[in-house]
Amino acid sequence: MPGRFDYILFILTAFLILFLTGCRGTSGQNSLLGGDERESIPSVPDEYSGYANPFTGDADAIAQGEILYQANCSSCHGSTGEGDGPASGGIDPKPGNIATRQANLSDSYLFWRISEGGLMEPFNSIMPGWKGILSAEKI
Ligand code: HEC
């Protein structure tokens, strides 16, 4: 038969578990900086600011960009950019839905993020930095 001490221990353990899962929920939300849960768009560092995509509206460039995207990005971001690529399952933070998010992201922001990736604050993600792999033109 459990004594009074066992009972108190049980209650304390239950509270501890609730407390810890509560904490995990909160920090999980903060760490989802790449996901659609990101609250604000981080500001672009000086060296990437004021950039405008020189290929906007260029059908050839857009077609080539799609080929580059499918080859290099779709494994994580998904073939339509919804963040559901085959490699997205175990990633934390996960890729957000760039198909919908990109409308709110500036050319500078996109050029910065694709060039430098996520191995930095506040992202801390496995989004690769592409600047040594793809030319600026391809990015
Ligand atoms: C290994 C998986 C992986 C690959 C491959 C990858 N990404 Fe990502 N990417 C991520 C993750 C995870 C995030 C979300 C975290 C972050 O913002 O750093 C992300 C974030 C981004 C963002 C920022 C989105 C936002 O809402 O701020 C852009 C833009 C992006 N990726 C473009 C690309 C492009 C373009 C390629 C291919 C050249 C690519 N990614 C390849 C994992 C990947």
Side-chain angles (χ1 to χ4, degrees), residues 4-5 33 57-58 102 110 112 120-121 127 138:
R4 198 194 174 98
F5 182 71
L33 286 170
D58 176 336
Q102 67 170 346
L110 291 168
W112 166 47
M120 59 180 161
E121 292 295 334
M127 162 68 189
K138 287 179 173 169

Side-chain angles (χ1 to χ4, degrees), residues 41 44 51 101-112:
I41 299 171
V44 179
Y51 177 87
R101 284 179 60 78
Q102 67 170 346
N104 300 318
L105 302 173
S106 66
D107 290 352
S108 301
Y109 180 89
L110 291 168
F111 190 55
W112 166 47

Side-chain angles (χ1 to χ4, degrees), residues 33-35 38 68-69 72-73 75-77 91 93-96 98 101 105 109-110 113-114 117-118 123-128 130 134:
L33 286 170
R38 187 181 286 153
L68 284 167
Y69 175 85
N72 297 292
C73 323
S75 58
C76 291
H77 288 282
I91 302 178
K94 291 195 185 310
I98 48 172
R101 284 179 60 78
L105 302 173
Y109 180 89
L110 291 168
R113 293 307 319 283
I114 300 166
F123 309 106
N124 301 315
S125 76
I126 67 160
M127 162 68 189
W130 293 92
L134 299 175

Side-chain angles (χ1 to χ4, degrees), residues 16-77:
L16 188 69
I17 288 168
L18 282 177
F19 176 72
L20 289 178
T21 34
C23 289
R24 253 188 64 188
T26 319
S27 70
Q29 229 168 40
N30 289 339
S31 76
L32 272 170
L33 286 170
D36 300 323
E37 290 79 2
R38 187 181 286 153
E39 277 163 22
S40 60
I41 299 171
S43 51
V44 179
D46 284 352
E47 69 259 42
Y48 283 98
S49 70
Y51 177 87
N53 183 358
F55 300 109
T56 302
D58 176 336
D60 272 356
I62 293 168
Q64 286 180 45
E66 158 133 44
I67 294 169
L68 284 167
Y69 175 85
Q70 296 302 348
N72 297 292
C73 323
S74 65
S75 58
C76 291
H77 288 282

